[in-house]
Amino acid sequence: MKRFYTVMSLVVVLLYMANLSLATTSSSNFTDSSTLLPFKSKIKIDTNNVLGSNWTETESFCNWVGVSCSRRRQRVTSLNLTGLGLQGTISPYVGNLSFLVMLDLSNNSFQGNLIREIGHLRRLSVLVLQINLLEGVIPASVYHCQTLQVISLAGNKLRGVLPKYWLSNLTSLHFLYLGHNNFTGTIPPPLVNNSRLLIRSLDQNNLHGSILEEIGNLHNSEGIVLEANNLNGTIPSSIFNISSLRVLALDTNSLSGALPSTFGLQLPNLGALYLNENQISGSIPLYLSNCSQLTLLELSSNQFTGPIPASLGHLENLQTLNLRENQLESLELGFLTDLTRSRSLKTLDIDENPFSSHLLDSFGNLSSSLQEIFAESCNIKGPIPKEIGALRNLNMLALSDNNLSGTIPSTIKGMKSL
């Protein structure tokens, strides 16, 4: 995902994998050795010559880069070759690593289909193949990997309908990342019925249809990321009752309808809300301010109307507020006075709203950490207040296509970052 909380989610995966680190010894096992060498032969480009110089028969394979073995049986339990600049295909011999717990080939250029032999890895707990060039469908054999807890196949060229059967069978799954692929079809019911799933990310695919009401049953979910698909209909009200949610990203779809007036009452842990680029209408809920952990609020490019709630000023941790391209109102831009309490605010974007108001002197009382203000095409009238000079860290001030008058205040000279 392109945002801080996506990075955070991937860090969760990395930490999860770190907990699976197992001791390496110098002993040897012929079965696994005869598997790893064919794996190496399928790699056509080894950019940094890591495998070429290290994966040799003169050295125990348990000492090879990226290989970890169990102490007692000397079997390969982890194969971690992330970010080594490898290019080639994944050898089906990987399916012979019967003691493998973690497979991480992420951030390389592996091509071809995801091998069906993955299904032979009955002990596999972590499967991370993100950011490669894999294509085709997810093989049905994944159904057999019933100990899987982490799956990340994001950032490939995978296609097809998400299989319902293996999602139903993987009851131990906690993290699922399938974003940035070419999956089609609707959201399968097992995906919203598995209450063990903490994070599910299906962003930037070609999924269509509505979001199932049953999504509210995900009582333990910390992240739901469905951005950049073709989803439509209204947002199920049940989703706003998942108190464990930290990230909710439904942006860049065709979702419509109004947000419930109680929005925010049951989301004490929500840190990032992305609803931008939809067709959501109605007013911004007053109780949104109850999301006290919110650092990012993206509501741009919708059809919101009415006043901007003064209660947004209670979001003391808010760093980004984007309300651009709506039909919002604010008497004399009074909400700016309310936002002076948001001392962490760095980016404020209110472009293309029909405010038709003057800038108040309180404009200069906004957070000293503020770096960007976008207020173009808002029909703002009158002079720019001299108090704006107090925003010393501002590096972007966009006020074009308004009805401003008077001169540029001399205090702007003190804004050294502009």
Side-chain angles (χ1 to χ4, degrees):
M1 198 181 154
K2 62 189 178 183
R3 302 166 173 138
F4 166 77
Y5 280 94
T6 300
V7 174
M8 178 201 71
S9 300
L10 295 178
V11 169
V12 169
V13 173
L14 294 175
L15 291 173
Y16 196 91
M17 292 188 292
N19 291 331
L20 295 173
S21 59
L22 298 165
T24 301
T25 70
S26 60
S27 298
S28 179
N29 180 288
F30 177 75
T31 301
D32 289 350
S33 176
S34 60
T35 290
L36 292 173
L37 289 175
F39 173 87
K40 176 185 175 183
S41 71
K42 289 290 186 179
I43 295 173
K44 304 306 180 185
I45 297 178
D46 180 1
T47 304
N48 301 308
N49 196 34
V50 173
L51 304 192
S53 61
N54 181 264
W55 282 35
T56 63
E57 294 187 66
T58 59
E59 182 77 32
S60 168
F61 68 85
C62 283
N63 292 330
W64 290 355
V65 169
V67 178
S68 296
C69 297
S70 59
R71 287 187 182 277
R72 186 165 63 91
R73 299 189 181 186
Q74 310 308 310
R75 300 299 301 271
V76 175
T77 55
S78 174
L79 183 58
N80 185 352
L81 301 176
T82 181
L84 294 183
L86 305 177
Q87 182 174 326
T89 58
I90 300 175
S91 168
Y93 279 88
V94 167
N96 293 336
L97 297 172
S98 56
F99 282 77
L100 199 65
V101 176
M102 182 183 75
L103 177 62
D104 186 354
L105 305 179
S106 61
N107 293 273
N108 285 293
S109 296
F110 284 101
Q111 304 170 349
N113 293 333
L114 183 58
I115 57 172
R116 64 177 181 274
E117 287 78 6
I118 289 286
H120 297 165
L121 304 175
R122 304 302 173 88
R123 292 178 171 85
L124 194 64
S125 181
V126 177
L127 175 62
V128 182
L129 303 176
Q130 67 193 29
I131 313 179
N132 278 289
L133 301 170
L134 299 172
E135 54 190 12
V137 300
I138 298 176
S141 59
V142 174
Y143 178 95
H144 299 294
C145 302
Q146 296 185 23
T147 59
L148 270 172
Q149 298 185 40
V150 178
I151 296 179
S152 181
L153 306 177
N156 281 287
K157 299 179 180 179
L158 299 171
R159 57 179 172 81
V161 176
L162 295 176
K164 301 177 183 178
Y165 46 88
W166 64 257
L167 282 172
S168 299
N169 201 53
L170 301 179
T171 55
S172 297
L173 197 62
H174 292 308
F175 302 93
L176 177 64
Y177 300 90
L178 298 179
H180 295 254
N181 280 291
N182 298 308
F183 293 116
T184 55
T186 58
I187 299 173
L191 195 63
V192 297
N193 288 329
N194 185 353
S195 60
R196 292 176 179 270
L197 266 177
L198 300 179
I199 297 176
R200 53 194 50 71
S201 176
L202 301 174
D203 57 301
Q204 300 199 38
N205 281 288
N206 295 305
L207 302 175
H208 65 267
S210 59
I211 302 174
L212 301 175
E213 184 68 33
E214 289 80 2
I215 201 167
N217 296 330
L218 304 176
H219 304 300
N220 299 312
S221 185
E222 296 181 3
I224 297 176
V225 183
L226 300 173
E227 67 178 79
N229 281 286
N230 299 308
L231 301 174
N232 54 32
T234 59
I235 303 174
S237 58
S238 60
I239 204 171
F240 303 123
N241 295 325
I242 305 176
S243 60
S244 56
L245 265 184
R246 297 180 183 276
V247 183
L248 179 59
L250 306 178
D251 55 293
T252 321
N253 283 290
S254 297
L255 300 170
S256 57
L259 299 178
S261 59
T262 55
F263 180 101
L265 289 177
Q266 303 295 326
L267 297 170
N269 297 301
L270 191 65
L273 176 64
Y274 300 92
L275 297 180
N276 48 296
E277 296 185 55
N278 280 291
Q279 300 165 21
I280 303 171
S281 56
S283 58
I284 298 175
L286 295 176
Y287 291 115
L288 188 58
S289 60
N290 281 43
C291 303
S292 58
Q293 301 303 311
L294 207 60
T295 61
L296 189 148
L297 178 57
E298 272 277 4
L299 301 179
S300 63
S301 301
N302 278 290
Q303 300 169 15
F304 286 109
T305 57
I308 298 174
S311 57
L312 291 184
H314 295 299
L315 297 172
E316 296 181 356
N317 297 308
L318 193 64
Q319 296 180 22
T320 299
L321 175 61
N322 192 347
L323 304 175
R324 69 179 299 152
E325 293 184 35
N326 281 287
Q327 296 297 313
L328 296 166
E329 305 167 4
S330 179
L331 183 63
E332 294 300 321
L333 294 178
F335 78 95
L336 292 177
T337 301
D338 303 312
L339 283 178
T340 58
R341 290 173 290 184
S342 299
R343 305 313 298 173
S344 300
L345 194 63
K346 294 181 179 179
T347 299
L348 173 63
D349 192 339
I350 56 174
D351 277 357
E352 299 186 49
N353 281 285
F355 293 128
S356 189
S357 301
H358 291 76
L359 289 175
L360 300 177
D361 294 346
S362 58
F363 195 53
N365 294 329
L366 290 168
S367 170
S368 58
S369 63
L370 198 60
Q371 297 175 6
E372 299 176 314
I373 296 177
F374 301 92
E376 300 179 308
S377 303
C378 293
N379 197 25
I380 296 174
K381 306 173 183 178
I384 300 174
K386 65 180 184 299
E387 287 78 8
I388 197 173
L391 302 177
R392 302 283 181 176
N393 293 310
L394 205 63
N395 57 50
M396 171 61 73
L397 177 61
L399 298 174
S400 64
D401 197 19
N402 281 294
N403 293 313
L404 296 170
S405 59
T407 59
I408 296 176
S410 60
T411 54
I412 206 168
K413 296 177 182 179
M415 302 168 70
K416 302 297 185 183
S417 298
L418 274 177

